[in-house]
């Protein structure tokens, strides 16, 4: 069962857009009146021209649709909307070996691009860990790997040109193609654009001569993680750290390039992205729900310990060859080690991606905070203080992937990172129903608010719950320059929607009963939580300015 297409249309007209997890942040479907699948740049231009001429709201979606916020939804009123899919805009990959560049259609899947580049004994240096993305999508939302070296770990910082289809005057045919080269000031706006400037048709990336990597995972104590992380990033070109707070364990990834003649044919088959038995995915979800219902934190700790032990045994899924892990170091071509996504290519009816919405498997939130490097040490210390109050409260995140810590270099992109930064990702249980509180949800709300408000972290544009984007425009020095480019390219706001405006401008909407349960707001009254189920709005335990939904037998100490 490979993943389902994100767009489903019915015979009576009209389509529904979903992301890969089957649910947007507000859990409301995205209805669109029509979808088009251009196969060439000219067909794409004609689609934009049609939309402009008929005053339609337009958004772009890829073959994969892994954006968690509702950026790809054109409008809440589906009657005047057009969705442009780049799923079939994927035929051209032009490699210039002499100049070390590749130009690819926006819809080209990342894995297809990597493999084609490697065939020429060249390598793409930066890539996200998950390969279920398109070339246009991966740069639009700031997707990244991990590196402070060279041009850094963000894919958009390796972009040296791109083409945009934008609205135009009637005399210009209602739409035109703009070629943006490396020295064009528009490039810093366009390479992380959230799809708000127009539709990307082509992307040009810089390459390097092919190389291999050598990877070793060191599972060890987390005692000095706040003092080590900076040196780790400087010492290892592709290094990252995975922190399991409840297990008091840090996993340091020693990951560096080596020459092509180094022996080894390693493969990245990360355990979380493997082709997973549907029965196992459903059973894991059922076990999680049972532990949540019973408020059994210790049961989650048992699960976390088992998961961590298994990851250590199999090196997180990395293999020394196509079949098995035999020991460190794992050496292999850059193209085989930089990213993974085996479940994308599932060929068996009893396996799928573990989060496939059709199987009632894993269902989770993903919070991703991007810290200025000089503030991250204090964040870790605060999380440790919160952890030490009751370590078992952190087992829920450790049964997923703990805290994945990666490194992003300063970028010139207006919506990129203006300074060397630390990125923290963590996944955690999401209930089947929006009104159902979660076990220890106050802990994750406090960590979330601590990151974004106490330490001023920026949200990853393609992840996070709505509250993470509050006042986000104040965190980008070049935000006004991005808006100027947006107004220049799309003066009629054809590519904007109420949902993309919510993300871009970070404004707080009206609060409602239960809004804090799903991160749609920060609670200020008990009704924003679930008082009928014993969850009341209370201050954080370490970051006392936080306002979180905590389970309590009494509302006496709640916020009024």
């Amino acid at each position: 069962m490979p993943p389902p297409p994100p767009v489903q249309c019915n015979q009576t007209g009209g389509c529904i857009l979903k992301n890969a997890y089957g649910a947007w942040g507000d859990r409301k479907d995205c209805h669109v009146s029509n979808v088009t699948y251009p196969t060439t740049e000219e067909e794409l231009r004609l689609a934009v021209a049609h939309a402009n001429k008929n005053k339609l709201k337009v958004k772009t979606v890829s073959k994969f649709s892994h954006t968690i916020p509702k950026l790809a939804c054109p409008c809440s009123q589906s009657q005047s909307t057009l969705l442009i899919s780049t799923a079939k805009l994927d035929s051209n990959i032009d490699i210039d070996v002499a100049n070390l560049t590749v130009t690819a259609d926006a819809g080209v899947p990342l894995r297809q691009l990597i493999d084609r580049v490697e065939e020429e004994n060249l390598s793409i240096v930066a890539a996200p860990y998950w390969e279920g993305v398109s070339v246009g999508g991966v740069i639009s939302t700031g997707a990244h790997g991990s590196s402070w070296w060279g041009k850094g770990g963000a894919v958009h910082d390796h972009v040296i040109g791109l083409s945009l289809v934008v609205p135009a005057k009637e005399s210009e045919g209602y739409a035109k193609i703009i070629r943006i080269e490396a020295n064009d000031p528009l490039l810093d706006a366009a390479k992380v654009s959230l799809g708000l400037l127009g539709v990307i048709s082509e992307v040009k990336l810089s390459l390097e001569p092919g190389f291999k990597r050598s990877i070793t995972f060191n599972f060890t104590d987390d005692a000095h993680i706040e003092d080590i992380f900076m040196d780790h990033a400087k010492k290892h070109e592709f290094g990252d750290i995975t922190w399991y707070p409840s297990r008091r364990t840090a996993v340091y990834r020693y990951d560096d390039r080596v020459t092509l003649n180094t022996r080894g044919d390693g493969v990245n088959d990360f355990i979380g992205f493997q082709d997973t038995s549907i029965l196992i995915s459903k059973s894991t979800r059922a076990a999680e729900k049972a532990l949540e219902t019973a408020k059994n934190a210790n049961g989650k700790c048992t699960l976390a310990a088992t998961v961590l032990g298994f990851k250590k045994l199999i090196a997180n899924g990395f293999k020394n060859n196509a079949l098995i892990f035999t020991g460190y170091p794992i050496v292999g071509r850059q193209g085989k080690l930089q990213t993974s996504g085996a479940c994308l290519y599932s060929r068996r009816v009893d396996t799928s991606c573990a989060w496939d919405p059709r199987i009632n498997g894993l269902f989770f939130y993903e919070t991703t905070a991007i810290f200025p490097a000089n503030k991250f040490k204090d964040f870790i210390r605060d999380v440790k203080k919160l952890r030490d109050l009751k370590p078992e409260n952190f087992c829920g995140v450790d049964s997923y992937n703990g805290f994945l810590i990666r490194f992003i270099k300063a970028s010139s992109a207006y919506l990129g990172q203006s300074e060397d930064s630390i990125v923290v990702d963590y996944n955690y249980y999401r209930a089947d129903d929006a009104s159902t509180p979660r076990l220890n949800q106050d802990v994750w709300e406090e960590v979330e608010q601590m990151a974004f408000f106490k330490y001023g972290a920026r949200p990853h544009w393609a992840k996070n719950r709505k509250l993470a984007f509050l006042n986000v425009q104040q965190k980008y020095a070049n935000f006004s320059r991005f808006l100027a480019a947006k107004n220049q390219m799309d003066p009629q706001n054809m590519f904007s929607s109420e949902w993309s405006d919510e993300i871009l401008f970070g404004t707080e909407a009206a609060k409602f009963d239960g809004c804090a349960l799903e991160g749609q707001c920060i609670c200020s009254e008990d009704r924003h939580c679930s008082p009928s189920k014993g969850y009341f709005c209370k201050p954080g335990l370490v970051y006392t300015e936080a306002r979180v939904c905590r389970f309590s037998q009494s509302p006496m100490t709640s916020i009024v």
Side-chain angles (χ1 to χ4, degrees):
M1 286 178 61
V7 186
Q8 301 286 344
C9 300
N10 56 46
Q11 294 180 344
T12 59
C15 307
I16 293 178
L17 169 69
K18 295 185 177 181
N19 61 20
Y21 308 102
W24 302 104
D26 59 6
R27 296 191 188 241
K28 297 176 182 178
D29 284 340
C30 172
H31 294 273
V32 291
S33 53
N34 203 358
V35 59
T36 185
Y37 294 85
T39 61
T40 65
E41 190 175 59
E42 176 58 18
E43 288 180 3
L44 176 58
R45 190 195 68 80
L46 291 173
V48 174
H50 169 78
N52 188 23
K53 183 178 180 180
N54 292 280
K55 301 188 183 308
L56 305 179
K57 282 286 191 178
V58 180
K59 287 290 186 181
T60 311
V61 67
S62 74
K63 175 182 179 180
F64 304 102
S65 189
H66 271 88
T67 302
I68 294 172
K70 223 169 184 175
L71 284 170
C73 192
C75 183
S76 59
Q77 305 300 318
S78 63
Q79 293 82 359
S80 301
T81 57
L82 175 66
L83 194 63
I84 297 177
S85 172
T86 61
K88 297 180 181 179
L89 187 64
D90 63 352
S91 59
N92 294 321
I93 300 177
D94 182 19
I95 299 174
D96 185 339
V97 176
N99 292 303
L100 295 177
T101 66
V102 59
T103 303
D105 286 347
V108 169
L110 179 59
R111 171 48 59 191
Q112 183 179 331
L113 180 69
I114 289 172
D115 288 349
R116 179 68 187 88
V117 166
E118 292 281 333
E119 287 175 5
E120 300 292 337
N121 286 319
L122 301 173
S123 290
I124 297 170
V125 177
Y129 288 10
W130 166 247
E131 64 189 46
V133 289
S134 67
V135 174
V138 77
I139 68 165
S140 293
T141 54
H144 59 86
S146 181
S147 185
W148 274 351
W149 293 36
K151 293 183 178 180
V155 182
H156 59 263
D157 287 323
H158 298 257
V159 172
I160 54 176
L162 57 80
S163 298
L164 270 179
V165 180
V166 300
K169 300 175 183 176
E170 180 181 359
S171 60
E172 297 174 296
Y174 290 104
K176 62 185 177 181
I177 300 165
I178 297 177
R179 311 288 183 195
I180 304 174
E181 301 296 335
N183 58 352
D184 193 321
L186 271 176
L187 187 60
D188 285 333
K191 60 188 181 182
V192 183
S193 65
L194 313 184
L196 297 176
L197 304 187
V199 185
I200 297 173
S201 58
E202 287 185 341
V203 178
K204 187 176 185 180
L205 293 163
S206 61
L207 304 175
E208 292 191 15
F211 61 91
K212 286 186 173 182
R213 280 159 69 168
S214 174
I215 299 173
T216 296
F217 292 104
N218 178 19
F219 289 71
T220 188
D221 188 88
D222 72 350
H224 303 290
I225 188 172
E226 65 268 36
D227 301 314
I228 295 173
F229 74 88
M230 193 87 74
D231 289 338
H232 183 74
K234 293 176 180 177
K235 187 175 180 180
H236 300 285
E237 182 175 4
F238 303 103
D240 67 26
I241 306 168
T242 308
W243 180 29
Y244 299 91
S246 75
R247 305 294 91 198
R248 300 182 186 274
T249 297
V251 183
Y252 295 92
R253 175 167 165 165
Y254 306 143
D255 190 343
D256 299 284
R257 72 171 71 196
V258 293
T259 58
L260 279 175
N261 60 7
T262 306
R263 291 185 61 184
D265 195 23
V267 175
N268 179 353
D269 188 18
F270 174 62
I271 184 174
F273 302 154
Q274 288 179 3
D275 204 10
T276 306
S277 162
I278 292 174
L279 180 60
I280 290 176
S281 300
K282 291 170 69 75
S283 298
T284 302
R285 176 65 178 180
E288 276 193 298
K289 290 172 66 175
L291 294 171
E292 287 276 328
T293 301
K295 292 186 169 54
N296 186 350
N298 289 328
K300 290 207 170 189
C301 292
T302 300
L303 181 60
T306 302
V307 168
L308 182 58
F310 185 58
K311 286 181 177 179
K312 185 174 182 180
L313 183 67
I314 66 166
N316 287 327
F318 282 70
K319 301 171 182 176
N320 297 86
N321 51 54
L323 299 175
I324 194 171
F325 168 66
T326 58
Y328 296 119
I330 301 159
V331 176
R333 290 286 303 232
Q334 162 73 342
K336 290 185 177 180
L337 289 180
Q338 65 187 132
T339 187
S340 68
C343 67
L344 289 166
Y345 320 106
S346 173
R347 292 295 178 264
R348 293 172 48 177
V349 296
D350 61 341
T351 64
S352 70
C353 296
W355 57 84
D356 191 313
R358 297 168 295 184
I359 66 169
N360 296 320
L362 301 188
F363 189 45
F364 48 82
Y365 296 109
E366 184 165 2
T367 291
T368 302
I370 307 175
F371 295 81
N374 62 355
K375 294 185 178 182
F376 187 60
K377 183 175 186 176
D378 290 332
F379 171 74
I380 294 179
R381 286 175 170 167
D382 271 357
V383 173
K384 281 188 171 183
K385 289 177 185 176
L386 187 59
R387 183 269 313 272
D388 291 343
L389 294 176
K390 200 171 184 181
E392 58 267 33
N393 287 351
F394 278 76
C395 290
V397 76
D398 288 350
S399 62
Y400 282 85
N401 297 307
F403 286 70
L404 176 59
I405 299 168
R406 290 182 284 176
F407 305 96
I408 300 298
K409 193 171 182 177
S411 172
S412 63
Y414 295 159
L415 296 186
Q417 309 313 312
S418 58
E419 58 204 323
D420 289 351
S421 302
I422 316 295
V423 184
V424 176
D425 294 82
Y426 59 96
N427 295 354
Y428 46 111
Y429 178 89
R430 188 177 186 183
D432 290 347
D433 181 81
S435 64
T436 301
R438 292 163 289 109
L439 176 63
N440 298 325
Q441 79 166 52
D442 61 302
V443 172
W444 304 116
E445 290 175 353
E446 184 168 349
V447 172
E448 186 179 34
Q449 293 177 41
M450 188 188 294
F452 294 116
F453 308 129
K454 181 175 182 179
Y455 292 107
R458 301 182 181 102
H460 189 300
W461 293 109
K463 302 178 183 178
N464 291 300
R465 306 183 326 156
K466 182 179 172 182
L467 72 88
F469 297 96
L470 289 176
N471 299 317
V472 70
Q473 71 273 22
Q474 298 176 13
K475 299 179 180 181
Y476 288 87
N478 289 311
F479 190 83
S480 60
R481 291 185 176 183
F482 178 80
L483 288 187
K486 177 180 177 296
N487 293 334
Q488 176 187 342
M489 296 293 99
D490 182 25
Q492 302 302 317
N493 290 321
M494 190 168 82
F495 292 99
S496 296
S497 71
E498 56 264 54
W499 292 291
S500 59
D501 283 350
E502 279 184 356
I503 299 304
L504 184 65
F505 298 107
T507 54
E508 186 172 25
K511 296 183 179 182
F512 53 89
D513 290 358
C515 60
L517 297 178
E518 294 261 288
Q520 295 294 298
C521 75
I522 297 172
C523 71
S524 54
E525 302 175 42
D526 288 338
R527 68 183 183 89
H528 301 147
C529 299
S530 182
S532 65
K533 296 177 182 177
Y535 285 76
F536 302 96
C537 188
K538 297 190 176 184
L541 299 175
V542 171
Y543 175 43
T544 55
E545 287 84 354
R547 294 296 177 261
V548 300
C549 296
R550 183 176 299 123
F551 179 73
S552 175
Q553 301 298 335
S554 168
M556 291 301 292
T557 57
S558 61
I559 305 300
V560 177

